Amino acid sequence: MTRVDGVFLDPNAMVPRLTTYYIGRYLEQAWIVESTQDEVRRRAAEGAPEGLVVVAERQTAGRGRKGDRWFSPAGSGLYLSLLLRPRFPDVMLIPLALGLAAAQAVDAVSKHRPDLKWPNDIMIGDRKLGGVIAESQMQEGQVLFVVAGIGINVSEPVEGWPPELASTAASLGPDVDREWLLPELLNAIEANYEAIKTGHSAAMLAEYRNRCPYRRGAPVMITAGDGVREEAQAIEIEADGSLLVEMPDGTRQRLYGHQVLGMRMETR
Ligand code: BTN
Protein backbone atom coordinates (compact mmCIF):
# COMPACT_ATOMS: atom_id res chain seq x y z
CA MET A 1 0.00 0.00 0.00
CA THR A 2 1.23 3.47 -0.82
CA ARG A 3 0.97 5.67 2.21
CA VAL A 4 1.60 9.35 2.74
CA ASP A 5 1.47 11.30 5.96
CA GLY A 6 -1.95 12.56 6.77
CA VAL A 7 -5.39 11.38 5.79
CA PHE A 8 -8.00 12.42 3.27
CA LEU A 9 -10.97 11.81 5.53
CA ASP A 10 -10.68 13.56 8.87
CA PRO A 11 -10.97 11.08 11.78
CA ASN A 12 -12.05 13.95 14.04
CA ALA A 13 -15.07 14.44 11.82
CA MET A 14 -15.85 10.74 11.53
CA VAL A 15 -15.13 9.13 14.89
CA PRO A 16 -17.78 11.04 16.91
CA ARG A 17 -20.38 9.80 14.41
CA LEU A 18 -19.26 6.16 14.61
CA THR A 19 -21.39 4.17 17.04
CA THR A 20 -20.13 0.67 16.20
CA TYR A 21 -18.46 -1.85 18.46
CA TYR A 22 -16.23 -3.47 15.87
CA ILE A 23 -17.05 -2.45 12.28
CA GLY A 24 -14.54 0.23 11.32
CA ARG A 25 -12.91 0.43 14.73
CA TYR A 26 -9.73 -0.58 12.88
CA LEU A 27 -9.82 1.76 9.91
CA GLU A 28 -6.95 2.31 7.54
CA GLN A 29 -6.84 5.04 4.94
CA ALA A 30 -4.80 4.69 1.78
CA TRP A 31 -4.34 7.37 -0.83
CA ILE A 32 -3.94 5.01 -3.72
CA VAL A 33 -4.15 1.24 -4.00
CA GLU A 34 -4.89 -1.19 -6.78
CA SER A 35 -7.94 -2.49 -4.92
CA THR A 36 -9.00 -2.22 -1.30
CA GLN A 37 -10.21 -5.82 -1.69
CA ASP A 38 -6.61 -7.00 -2.02
CA GLU A 39 -5.47 -4.89 0.93
CA VAL A 40 -8.07 -6.40 3.24
CA ARG A 41 -7.48 -9.92 1.92
CA ARG A 42 -3.82 -9.51 2.83
CA ARG A 43 -4.68 -8.31 6.35
CA ALA A 44 -7.14 -11.17 6.73
CA ALA A 45 -4.46 -13.73 5.94
CA GLU A 46 -2.29 -12.08 8.62
CA GLY A 47 -5.08 -12.61 11.17
CA ALA A 48 -6.69 -9.16 11.21
CA PRO A 49 -9.87 -8.89 13.27
CA GLU A 50 -13.42 -8.88 11.98
CA GLY A 51 -14.52 -5.34 11.23
CA LEU A 52 -11.23 -4.08 9.78
CA VAL A 53 -11.93 -1.47 7.10
CA VAL A 54 -9.59 -0.15 4.43
CA VAL A 55 -10.77 2.96 2.60
CA ALA A 56 -8.89 4.41 -0.36
CA GLU A 57 -9.00 7.79 -2.02
CA ARG A 58 -8.32 6.23 -5.40
CA GLN A 59 -8.04 2.72 -6.83
CA THR A 60 -6.08 1.89 -9.94
CA ALA A 61 -7.68 -1.54 -10.40
CA GLY A 62 -10.97 -1.33 -8.50
CA ARG A 63 -12.93 -4.54 -9.00
CA GLY A 64 -16.60 -4.88 -9.74
CA ARG A 65 -18.57 -8.06 -10.06
CA LYS A 66 -18.51 -10.19 -13.21
CA GLY A 67 -14.90 -9.16 -13.80
CA ASP A 68 -15.84 -5.51 -14.36
CA ARG A 69 -13.58 -2.65 -13.35
CA TRP A 70 -14.87 -0.21 -10.73
CA PHE A 71 -14.09 3.33 -11.85
CA SER A 72 -12.40 4.83 -8.79
CA PRO A 73 -11.08 8.36 -9.37
CA ALA A 74 -9.82 10.49 -6.48
CA GLY A 75 -12.03 12.89 -4.62
CA SER A 76 -15.45 11.77 -5.80
CA GLY A 77 -16.21 8.32 -4.44
CA LEU A 78 -16.19 6.18 -1.35
CA TYR A 79 -14.19 2.99 -1.92
CA LEU A 80 -13.84 0.63 0.99
CA SER A 81 -13.44 -3.01 1.89
CA LEU A 82 -14.34 -4.71 5.11
CA LEU A 83 -13.24 -7.96 6.74
CA LEU A 84 -15.97 -10.27 8.03
CA ARG A 85 -15.55 -13.66 9.66
CA PRO A 86 -19.11 -15.04 9.54
CA ARG A 87 -19.96 -18.13 11.56
CA PHE A 88 -23.48 -18.45 10.11
CA PRO A 89 -24.48 -20.38 6.98
CA ASP A 90 -26.43 -17.71 5.08
CA VAL A 91 -23.46 -15.76 3.76
CA MET A 92 -25.61 -14.77 0.76
CA LEU A 93 -27.30 -12.33 3.13
CA ILE A 94 -24.07 -10.37 3.53
CA PRO A 95 -24.16 -8.46 0.21
CA LEU A 96 -27.84 -7.71 0.81
CA ALA A 97 -27.07 -6.40 4.31
CA LEU A 98 -24.30 -4.19 2.94
CA GLY A 99 -26.33 -2.89 0.00
CA LEU A 100 -29.16 -2.03 2.37
CA ALA A 101 -26.68 -0.33 4.71
CA ALA A 102 -25.43 1.80 1.83
CA ALA A 103 -28.99 2.85 0.99
CA GLN A 104 -29.72 3.62 4.66
CA ALA A 105 -26.55 5.70 4.96
CA VAL A 106 -27.45 7.63 1.82
CA ASP A 107 -30.91 8.28 3.30
CA ALA A 108 -29.23 9.75 6.38
CA VAL A 109 -26.90 12.15 4.61
CA SER A 110 -28.73 13.22 1.47
CA LYS A 111 -32.12 13.85 -0.08
CA HIS A 112 -31.84 10.65 -2.12
CA ARG A 113 -33.61 7.40 -1.32
CA PRO A 114 -31.86 4.70 -3.36
CA ASP A 115 -33.45 1.49 -4.54
CA LEU A 116 -31.72 -1.86 -4.36
CA LYS A 117 -31.31 -4.23 -7.24
CA TRP A 118 -30.80 -7.81 -6.14
CA PRO A 119 -28.26 -8.80 -5.14
CA ASN A 120 -25.58 -6.14 -5.17
CA ASP A 121 -26.57 -2.87 -6.81
CA ILE A 122 -27.53 0.45 -5.24
CA MET A 123 -29.63 2.41 -7.69
CA ILE A 124 -31.07 5.87 -8.20
CA GLY A 125 -33.80 5.31 -10.75
CA ASP A 126 -32.27 3.17 -13.45
CA ARG A 127 -28.76 4.50 -12.83
CA LYS A 128 -26.20 2.79 -10.65
CA LEU A 129 -25.04 4.73 -7.60
CA GLY A 130 -22.96 2.01 -6.04
CA GLY A 131 -22.27 -1.66 -5.76
CA VAL A 132 -21.20 -4.36 -3.37
CA ILE A 133 -18.81 -7.22 -3.98
CA ALA A 134 -18.32 -10.08 -1.51
CA GLU A 135 -15.33 -12.37 -1.97
CA SER A 136 -15.21 -15.42 0.26
CA GLN A 137 -12.13 -17.36 1.28
CA MET A 138 -13.03 -21.01 1.74
CA GLN A 139 -11.20 -23.68 3.72
CA GLU A 140 -12.35 -27.28 3.80
CA GLY A 141 -15.81 -26.30 2.64
CA GLN A 142 -16.18 -23.59 5.29
CA VAL A 143 -16.08 -19.84 4.86
CA LEU A 144 -12.86 -18.69 6.51
CA PHE A 145 -13.53 -15.01 5.89
CA VAL A 146 -15.36 -12.66 3.56
CA VAL A 147 -13.86 -9.52 2.08
CA ALA A 148 -16.79 -7.26 1.31
CA GLY A 149 -16.25 -4.17 -0.82
CA ILE A 150 -18.52 -1.19 -1.35
CA GLY A 151 -18.15 1.56 -3.91
CA ILE A 152 -20.43 4.61 -3.86
CA ASN A 153 -20.31 7.45 -6.40
CA VAL A 154 -20.55 10.45 -4.10
CA SER A 155 -20.00 13.31 -6.52
CA GLU A 156 -19.49 13.37 -10.25
CA PRO A 157 -15.79 12.99 -11.11
CA VAL A 158 -14.18 16.33 -11.99
CA GLU A 159 -13.13 14.94 -15.34
CA GLY A 160 -16.67 13.61 -15.90
CA TRP A 161 -17.77 10.02 -16.38
CA PRO A 162 -15.99 7.89 -18.93
CA PRO A 163 -18.20 7.33 -22.00
CA GLU A 164 -19.17 3.78 -20.98
CA LEU A 165 -20.62 5.08 -17.67
CA ALA A 166 -22.09 8.37 -18.88
CA SER A 167 -25.63 7.05 -19.32
CA THR A 168 -25.65 4.47 -16.52
CA ALA A 169 -23.90 5.98 -13.46
CA ALA A 170 -25.50 8.12 -10.75
CA SER A 171 -23.91 10.20 -8.02
CA LEU A 172 -25.24 11.91 -4.89
CA GLY A 173 -24.07 15.43 -5.57
CA PRO A 174 -21.28 17.77 -4.46
CA ASP A 175 -22.92 18.74 -1.17
CA VAL A 176 -22.72 15.21 0.28
CA ASP A 177 -19.97 14.82 2.82
CA ARG A 178 -17.95 11.58 2.71
CA GLU A 179 -16.87 12.10 6.32
CA TRP A 180 -20.51 11.84 7.28
CA LEU A 181 -21.46 9.13 4.81
CA LEU A 182 -18.70 6.72 5.90
CA PRO A 183 -19.58 6.50 9.62
CA GLU A 184 -23.29 6.27 8.78
CA LEU A 185 -22.46 3.41 6.43
CA LEU A 186 -20.37 1.56 9.01
CA ASN A 187 -23.08 2.04 11.67
CA ALA A 188 -25.70 0.61 9.33
CA ILE A 189 -23.46 -2.28 8.29
CA GLU A 190 -22.93 -3.33 11.90
CA ALA A 191 -26.66 -3.16 12.67
CA ASN A 192 -27.58 -5.25 9.61
CA TYR A 193 -24.73 -7.73 10.08
CA GLU A 194 -25.63 -8.19 13.75
CA ALA A 195 -29.23 -8.88 12.68
CA ILE A 196 -27.99 -11.76 10.54
CA LYS A 197 -25.57 -13.01 13.20
CA THR A 198 -28.22 -13.13 15.87
CA GLY A 199 -30.88 -14.75 13.67
CA HIS A 200 -32.96 -11.59 13.36
CA SER A 201 -32.61 -10.98 9.65
CA ALA A 202 -36.37 -10.95 8.88
CA ALA A 203 -36.86 -7.22 9.47
CA MET A 204 -33.67 -6.44 7.58
CA LEU A 205 -34.87 -8.54 4.64
CA ALA A 206 -38.31 -6.94 4.73
CA GLU A 207 -36.69 -3.53 4.35
CA TYR A 208 -34.49 -4.86 1.56
CA ARG A 209 -37.55 -6.21 -0.30
CA ASN A 210 -39.36 -2.89 0.13
CA ARG A 211 -36.50 -1.11 -1.53
CA CYS A 212 -36.10 -3.61 -4.32
CA PRO A 213 -38.47 -3.01 -7.25
CA TYR A 214 -36.71 -5.75 -9.22
CA ARG A 215 -38.86 -8.61 -7.92
CA ARG A 216 -42.41 -9.98 -8.04
CA GLY A 217 -42.88 -10.48 -11.76
CA ALA A 218 -39.78 -8.60 -12.90
CA PRO A 219 -38.16 -10.35 -15.84
CA VAL A 220 -34.84 -11.91 -14.96
CA MET A 221 -32.47 -12.56 -17.79
CA ILE A 222 -30.32 -15.58 -17.11
CA THR A 223 -27.38 -16.32 -19.31
CA ALA A 224 -26.18 -19.86 -18.97
CA GLY A 225 -22.44 -20.55 -19.17
CA ASP A 226 -22.84 -21.64 -22.80
CA GLY A 227 -24.30 -18.26 -23.76
CA VAL A 228 -27.94 -19.36 -23.91
CA ARG A 229 -30.25 -16.64 -22.61
CA GLU A 230 -33.44 -17.45 -20.82
CA GLU A 231 -35.98 -15.08 -19.37
CA ALA A 232 -37.38 -16.11 -16.03
CA GLN A 233 -39.72 -14.18 -13.75
CA ALA A 234 -38.72 -13.08 -10.29
CA ILE A 235 -41.01 -14.32 -7.54
CA GLU A 236 -39.42 -13.26 -4.27
CA ILE A 237 -36.20 -12.73 -2.39
CA GLU A 238 -36.03 -15.68 -0.03
CA ALA A 239 -35.07 -15.76 3.64
CA ASP A 240 -31.57 -17.02 2.81
CA GLY A 241 -30.99 -14.12 0.39
CA SER A 242 -31.49 -16.15 -2.77
CA LEU A 243 -33.87 -15.06 -5.54
CA LEU A 244 -36.72 -17.41 -6.32
CA VAL A 245 -37.60 -17.30 -10.02
CA GLU A 246 -40.02 -19.07 -12.31
CA MET A 247 -38.46 -20.51 -15.44
CA PRO A 248 -40.22 -20.43 -18.83
CA ASP A 249 -41.19 -24.10 -18.37
CA GLY A 250 -42.95 -23.25 -15.11
CA THR A 251 -40.34 -24.77 -12.80
CA ARG A 252 -38.97 -22.72 -9.94
CA GLN A 253 -35.31 -22.12 -9.21
CA ARG A 254 -33.39 -20.36 -6.52
CA LEU A 255 -30.58 -18.15 -7.73
CA TYR A 256 -27.61 -17.47 -5.45
CA GLY A 257 -24.91 -14.87 -5.59
CA HIS A 258 -22.41 -17.04 -7.42
CA GLN A 259 -25.02 -17.66 -10.13
CA VAL A 260 -25.38 -13.93 -10.73
CA LEU A 261 -22.47 -14.09 -13.14
CA GLY A 262 -24.04 -13.69 -16.53
CA MET A 263 -27.45 -12.76 -15.22
CA ARG A 264 -29.09 -9.42 -15.50
CA MET A 265 -32.42 -8.05 -14.44
CA GLU A 266 -34.47 -5.46 -16.20
CA THR A 267 -37.86 -3.88 -15.70
CA ARG A 268 -40.17 -3.71 -18.67
C1 BTN B 1 -20.19 -4.00 -8.43
O1 BTN B 1 -21.26 -3.41 -8.42
O2 BTN B 1 -19.80 -4.56 -9.46
C2 BTN B 1 -19.37 -4.04 -7.18
C3 BTN B 1 -18.47 -2.83 -7.06
C4 BTN B 1 -17.61 -2.84 -5.83
C5 BTN B 1 -16.57 -1.74 -5.86
C6 BTN B 1 -15.84 -1.61 -4.56
S1 BTN B 1 -14.90 -0.14 -4.47
C7 BTN B 1 -14.12 -0.71 -3.01
C8 BTN B 1 -13.87 -2.19 -3.20
N1 BTN B 1 -12.60 -2.41 -3.86
C9 BTN B 1 -12.75 -2.93 -5.06
O3 BTN B 1 -11.82 -3.23 -5.83
N2 BTN B 1 -14.05 -3.14 -5.32
C10 BTN B 1 -14.88 -2.73 -4.21
Side-chain angles (χ1 to χ4, degrees):
M1 185 188 299
T2 308
R3 289 175 187 278
V4 297
D5 291 332
V7 291
F8 56 93
L9 299 174
D10 180 1
N12 292 324
M14 293 191 294
V15 170
R17 292 175 169 139
L18 192 65
T19 59
T20 59
Y21 287 101
Y22 58 96
I23 300 288
R25 287 293 165 184
Y26 290 93
L27 190 144
E28 296 183 12
Q29 294 194 45
W31 280 99
I32 174 167
V33 292
E34 289 188 358
S35 164
T36 54
Q37 291 292 103
D38 299 335
E39 300 300 327
V40 169
R41 178 173 289 275
R42 218 177 343 265
R43 301 292 187 292
E46 292 163 4
E50 181 165 69
L52 168 82
V53 169
V54 173
V55 56
E57 178 67 341
R58 181 160 92 84
Q59 298 182 114
T60 55
R63 276 205 294 286
R65 286 173 46 249
K66 306 177 209 160
D68 289 347
R69 282 290 180 94
W70 188 258
F71 182 59
S72 313
S76 58
L78 201 53
Y79 319 117
L80 66 116
S81 296
L82 162 72
L83 175 60
L84 298 171
R85 297 184 180 276
R87 294 289 168 265
F88 48 81
D90 292 334
V91 289
M92 179 57 207
L93 290 172
I94 292 175
L96 274 58
L98 268 55
L100 176 60
Q104 291 165 326
V106 169
D107 287 353
V109 305
S110 79
K111 60 182 186 331
H112 298 284
R113 193 175 185 283
D115 286 330
L116 296 164
K117 183 174 177 182
W118 186 92
N120 296 52
D121 293 343
I122 302 135
M123 308 292 292
I124 292 183
D126 58 0
R127 285 174 172 257
K128 184 156 165 169
L129 175 70
V132 175
I133 187 169
E135 298 174 333
S136 302
Q137 179 69 43
M138 307 295 292
Q139 191 178 54
E140 292 165 8
Q142 306 269 29
V143 176
L144 196 58
F145 58 81
V146 174
V147 179
I150 304 181
I152 301 176
N153 306 321
V154 178
S155 52
E156 196 170 318
V158 266
E159 69 277 27
W161 296 110
E164 67 277 14
L165 295 179
S167 62
T168 57
S171 61
L172 293 173
D175 50 336
V176 171
D177 183 351
R178 292 183 299 169
E179 288 162 348
W180 187 8
L181 180 59
L182 180 58
E184 289 291 345
L185 175 61
L186 299 177
N187 294 342
I189 289 174
E190 186 167 292
N192 294 346
Y193 185 65
E194 278 296 304
I196 307 175
K197 259 168 99 172
T198 57
H200 294 92
S201 52
M204 194 267 299
L205 263 174
E207 187 172 351
Y208 188 97
R209 290 184 187 115
N210 279 337
R211 299 186 80 127
C212 181
Y214 299 84
R215 61 190 188 95
R216 290 214 179 119
V220 181
M221 198 60 77
I222 301 171
T223 308
D226 54 7
V228 176
R229 288 160 61 99
E230 277 195 287
E231 191 177 284
Q233 275 213 331
I235 298 174
E236 190 51 282
I237 298 163
E238 299 278 81
D240 66 351
S242 63
L243 182 71
L244 185 66
V245 297
E246 188 170 296
M247 302 301 290
D249 65 3
T251 58
R252 290 183 168 199
Q253 265 190 33
R254 280 180 164 181
L255 301 177
Y256 291 91
H258 65 276
Q259 294 170 296
V260 173
L261 266 179
M263 180 194 124
R264 73 189 173 84
M265 299 177 70
E266 54 192 19
T267 47
R268 276 202 176 109

